[in-house]
PDB file of all heavy atoms in Angstrom:
ATOM      1  N   ILE D  90       2.436   6.556  14.460  1.00  0.00           N
ATOM      2  CA  ILE D  90       1.369   5.545  14.411  1.00  0.00           C
ATOM      3  C   ILE D  90       0.455   5.800  13.225  1.00  0.00           C
ATOM      4  O   ILE D  90       0.137   4.891  12.448  1.00  0.00           O
ATOM      5  CB  ILE D  90       0.562   5.536  15.731  1.00  0.00           C
ATOM      6  CG1 ILE D  90       1.436   5.057  16.890  1.00  0.00           C
ATOM      7  CG2 ILE D  90      -0.679   4.658  15.602  1.00  0.00           C
ATOM      8  CD1 ILE D  90       0.833   5.304  18.254  1.00  0.00           C
ATOM      9  N   ASN D  91       0.043   7.048  13.062  1.00  0.00           N
ATOM     10  CA  ASN D  91      -0.866   7.380  11.968  1.00  0.00           C
ATOM     11  C   ASN D  91      -0.191   7.209  10.611  1.00  0.00           C
ATOM     12  O   ASN D  91      -0.814   6.778   9.641  1.00  0.00           O
ATOM     13  CB  ASN D  91      -1.412   8.799  12.122  1.00  0.00           C
ATOM     14  CG  ASN D  91      -2.459   8.883  13.226  1.00  0.00           C
ATOM     15  OD1 ASN D  91      -3.154   7.905  13.506  1.00  0.00           O
ATOM     16  ND2 ASN D  91      -2.564  10.031  13.866  1.00  0.00           N
ATOM     17  N   PHE D  92       1.117   7.533  10.546  1.00  0.00           N
ATOM     18  CA  PHE D  92       1.827   7.330   9.288  1.00  0.00           C
ATOM     19  C   PHE D  92       1.939   5.827   8.985  1.00  0.00           C
ATOM     20  O   PHE D  92       1.808   5.397   7.830  1.00  0.00           O
ATOM     21  CB  PHE D  92       3.220   7.965   9.333  1.00  0.00           C
ATOM     22  CG  PHE D  92       3.687   8.481   7.997  1.00  0.00           C
ATOM     23  CD1 PHE D  92       4.032   9.801   7.826  1.00  0.00           C
ATOM     24  CD2 PHE D  92       3.773   7.630   6.904  1.00  0.00           C
ATOM     25  CE1 PHE D  92       4.458  10.285   6.590  1.00  0.00           C
ATOM     26  CE2 PHE D  92       4.201   8.092   5.664  1.00  0.00           C
ATOM     27  CZ  PHE D  92       4.546   9.423   5.517  1.00  0.00           C
ATOM     28  N   GLY D  93       2.153   5.040  10.027  1.00  0.00           N
ATOM     29  CA  GLY D  93       2.189   3.580   9.838  1.00  0.00           C
ATOM     30  C   GLY D  93       0.866   3.057   9.314  1.00  0.00           C
ATOM     31  O   GLY D  93       0.835   2.226   8.397  1.00  0.00           O
ATOM     32  N   ASN D  94      -0.233   3.569   9.872  1.00  0.00           N
ATOM     33  CA  ASN D  94      -1.558   3.160   9.397  1.00  0.00           C
ATOM     34  C   ASN D  94      -1.778   3.553   7.944  1.00  0.00           C
ATOM     35  O   ASN D  94      -2.376   2.801   7.167  1.00  0.00           O
ATOM     36  CB  ASN D  94      -2.657   3.769  10.280  1.00  0.00           C
ATOM     37  CG  ASN D  94      -2.707   3.131  11.661  1.00  0.00           C
ATOM     38  OD1 ASN D  94      -2.396   1.952  11.823  1.00  0.00           O
ATOM     39  ND2 ASN D  94      -3.101   3.895  12.665  1.00  0.00           N
ATOM     40  N   LEU D  95      -1.303   4.750   7.589  1.00  0.00           N
ATOM     41  CA  LEU D  95      -1.394   5.206   6.201  1.00  0.00           C
ATOM     42  C   LEU D  95      -0.640   4.249   5.276  1.00  0.00           C
ATOM     43  O   LEU D  95      -1.148   3.832   4.233  1.00  0.00           O
ATOM     44  CB  LEU D  95      -0.844   6.617   6.065  1.00  0.00           C
ATOM     45  CG  LEU D  95      -0.665   7.161   4.632  1.00  0.00           C
ATOM     46  CD1 LEU D  95      -2.011   7.257   3.924  1.00  0.00           C
ATOM     47  CD2 LEU D  95       0.023   8.522   4.662  1.00  0.00           C
ATOM     48  N   LEU D  96       0.568   3.886   5.663  1.00  0.00           N
ATOM     49  CA  LEU D  96       1.387   2.993   4.845  1.00  0.00           C
ATOM     50  C   LEU D  96       0.742   1.609   4.710  1.00  0.00           C
ATOM     51  O   LEU D  96       0.821   0.986   3.647  1.00  0.00           O
ATOM     52  CB  LEU D  96       2.791   2.874   5.435  1.00  0.00           C
ATOM     53  CG  LEU D  96       3.639   4.156   5.316  1.00  0.00           C
ATOM     54  CD1 LEU D  96       4.859   4.075   6.226  1.00  0.00           C
ATOM     55  CD2 LEU D  96       4.057   4.397   3.864  1.00  0.00           C
ATOM     56  N   LEU D  97       0.073   1.144   5.761  1.00  0.00           N
ATOM     57  CA  LEU D  97      -0.646  -0.129   5.661  1.00  0.00           C
ATOM     58  C   LEU D  97      -1.763  -0.039   4.637  1.00  0.00           C
ATOM     59  O   LEU D  97      -1.993  -0.977   3.858  1.00  0.00           O
ATOM     60  CB  LEU D  97      -1.232  -0.532   7.023  1.00  0.00           C
ATOM     61  CG  LEU D  97      -0.281  -1.148   8.040  1.00  0.00           C
ATOM     62  CD1 LEU D  97      -1.052  -1.582   9.277  1.00  0.00           C
ATOM     63  CD2 LEU D  97       0.469  -2.340   7.454  1.00  0.00           C
ATOM     64  N   GLN D  98      -2.489   1.095   4.642  1.00  0.00           N
ATOM     65  CA  GLN D  98      -3.555   1.287   3.650  1.00  0.00           C
ATOM     66  C   GLN D  98      -2.974   1.265   2.236  1.00  0.00           C
ATOM     67  O   GLN D  98      -3.659   0.866   1.285  1.00  0.00           O
ATOM     68  CB  GLN D  98      -4.284   2.600   3.891  1.00  0.00           C
ATOM     69  CG  GLN D  98      -5.235   2.558   5.078  1.00  0.00           C
ATOM     70  CD  GLN D  98      -6.151   3.767   5.142  1.00  0.00           C
ATOM     71  OE1 GLN D  98      -6.462   4.387   4.122  1.00  0.00           O
ATOM     72  NE2 GLN D  98      -6.578   4.123   6.332  1.00  0.00           N
ATOM     73  N   MET D  99      -1.738   1.706   2.105  1.00  0.00           N
ATOM     74  CA  MET D  99      -1.078   1.747   0.805  1.00  0.00           C
ATOM     75  C   MET D  99      -0.316   0.447   0.512  1.00  0.00           C
ATOM     76  O   MET D  99       0.415   0.349  -0.459  1.00  0.00           O
ATOM     77  CB  MET D  99      -0.123   2.941   0.764  1.00  0.00           C
ATOM     78  CG  MET D  99      -0.829   4.275   0.915  1.00  0.00           C
ATOM     79  SD  MET D  99       0.314   5.662   1.209  1.00  0.00           S
ATOM     80  CE  MET D  99       1.174   5.729  -0.389  1.00  0.00           C
ATOM     81  N   ASN D 100      -0.475  -0.556   1.400  1.00  0.00           N
ATOM     82  CA  ASN D 100       0.167  -1.877   1.254  1.00  0.00           C
ATOM     83  C   ASN D 100       1.696  -1.812   1.277  1.00  0.00           C
ATOM     84  O   ASN D 100       2.373  -2.682   0.714  1.00  0.00           O
ATOM     85  CB  ASN D 100      -0.303  -2.576  -0.038  1.00  0.00           C
ATOM     86  CG  ASN D 100      -1.780  -2.897  -0.002  1.00  0.00           C
ATOM     87  OD1 ASN D 100      -2.283  -3.407   1.000  1.00  0.00           O
ATOM     88  ND2 ASN D 100      -2.488  -2.590  -1.069  1.00  0.00           N
ATOM     89  N   ASP D 101       2.207  -0.807   1.966  1.00  0.00           N
ATOM     90  CA  ASP D 101       3.656  -0.695   2.143  1.00  0.00           C
ATOM     91  C   ASP D 101       3.991  -1.199   3.552  1.00  0.00           C
ATOM     92  O   ASP D 101       4.244  -0.428   4.481  1.00  0.00           O
ATOM     93  CB  ASP D 101       4.096   0.769   1.961  1.00  0.00           C
ATOM     94  CG  ASP D 101       5.607   0.906   1.870  1.00  0.00           C
ATOM     95  OD1 ASP D 101       6.324  -0.029   2.271  1.00  0.00           O
ATOM     96  OD2 ASP D 101       6.071   1.970   1.415  1.00  0.00           O
ATOM     97  N   VAL D 102       3.982  -2.511   3.690  1.00  0.00           N
ATOM     98  CA  VAL D 102       4.077  -3.139   5.008  1.00  0.00           C
ATOM     99  C   VAL D 102       5.453  -2.932   5.633  1.00  0.00           C
ATOM    100  O   VAL D 102       5.565  -2.678   6.842  1.00  0.00           O
ATOM    101  CB  VAL D 102       3.755  -4.647   4.897  1.00  0.00           C
ATOM    102  CG1 VAL D 102       3.935  -5.336   6.252  1.00  0.00           C
ATOM    103  CG2 VAL D 102       2.329  -4.859   4.397  1.00  0.00           C
ATOM    104  N   THR D 103       6.495  -3.004   4.827  1.00  0.00           N
ATOM    105  CA  THR D 103       7.861  -2.897   5.351  1.00  0.00           C
ATOM    106  C   THR D 103       8.084  -1.529   5.999  1.00  0.00           C
ATOM    107  O   THR D 103       8.601  -1.438   7.121  1.00  0.00           O
ATOM    108  CB  THR D 103       8.890  -3.125   4.236  1.00  0.00           C
ATOM    109  OG1 THR D 103       8.665  -4.431   3.681  1.00  0.00           O
ATOM    110  CG2 THR D 103      10.303  -3.053   4.789  1.00  0.00           C
TER     111      THR D 103
END
Side-chain angles (χ1 to χ4, degrees):
I90 293 167
N91 286 331
F92 212 122
N94 288 329
L95 171 63
L96 291 165
L97 281 185
Q98 285 191 27
M99 298 168 67
N100 295 314
D101 191 342
V102 176
T103 302

